[in-house]
Amino acid sequence: MVGHPGDEYVCTHDHAHGDRCLSFDFAPALVEALGDRPGIWRVGCLAPRPELMVLGELAQAALAGGTDVALDEVGLLLAARFAALVDGRPRPYRRPPARDRRRAVETALWIDARSHDP
């Protein structure tokens, strides 16, 4: 769910197995920098999207201390990605450098070679 300055929101759903709600509150200048087109922050919500779900999970991991990424960093990534999705302008494709592709392939091979390990 997405709010707008001045809107009120109260979490009313039941929590299961110790899960918690997590919210981010951004300064107006940051919201403007992320995208201030009318309507972006009034959309209310989006259907689940993989690129947002993974950032939500990263935020939960940051909250639990399970990652080196800071919670405020994840919040910024989540808000920026949300604004880009709602704005709808296509993002330019940038081909990853060969070094990054090589690292990704090496990592995938490492994971595959150790997938049977606990």
Side-chain angles (χ1 to χ4, degrees), residues 30-105:
L30 179 61
V31 171
E32 185 177 324
L34 291 173
D36 62 350
R37 184 178 62 81
I40 287 179
W41 304 104
R42 291 242 182 237
V43 71
C45 65
L46 286 179
R49 302 282 299 262
E51 56 266 55
L52 294 177
M53 300 295 286
V54 72
L55 291 172
E57 290 297 319
L58 182 58
Q60 292 291 345
L63 184 63
T67 179
D68 290 337
V69 180
L71 187 57
D72 57 344
E73 292 175 292
V74 180
L76 183 56
L77 290 169
L78 186 61
R81 189 66 192 123
F82 169 82
L85 285 169
V86 173
D87 191 35
R89 294 183 209 160
R91 294 180 350 167
Y93 174 74
R94 294 183 317 160
R95 185 174 196 85
R99 179 186 62 139
D100 290 347
R101 179 169 165 47
R102 184 175 53 252
R103 288 175 50 214
V105 170

Side-chain angles (χ1 to χ4, degrees), residues 3-22:
H4 185 270
D7 292 348
E8 291 186 26
Y9 174 75
V10 176
C11 178
T12 59
H13 68 274
D14 292 330
H15 293 269
H17 309 291
D19 68 337
R20 298 182 279 182
C21 290
L22 179 61

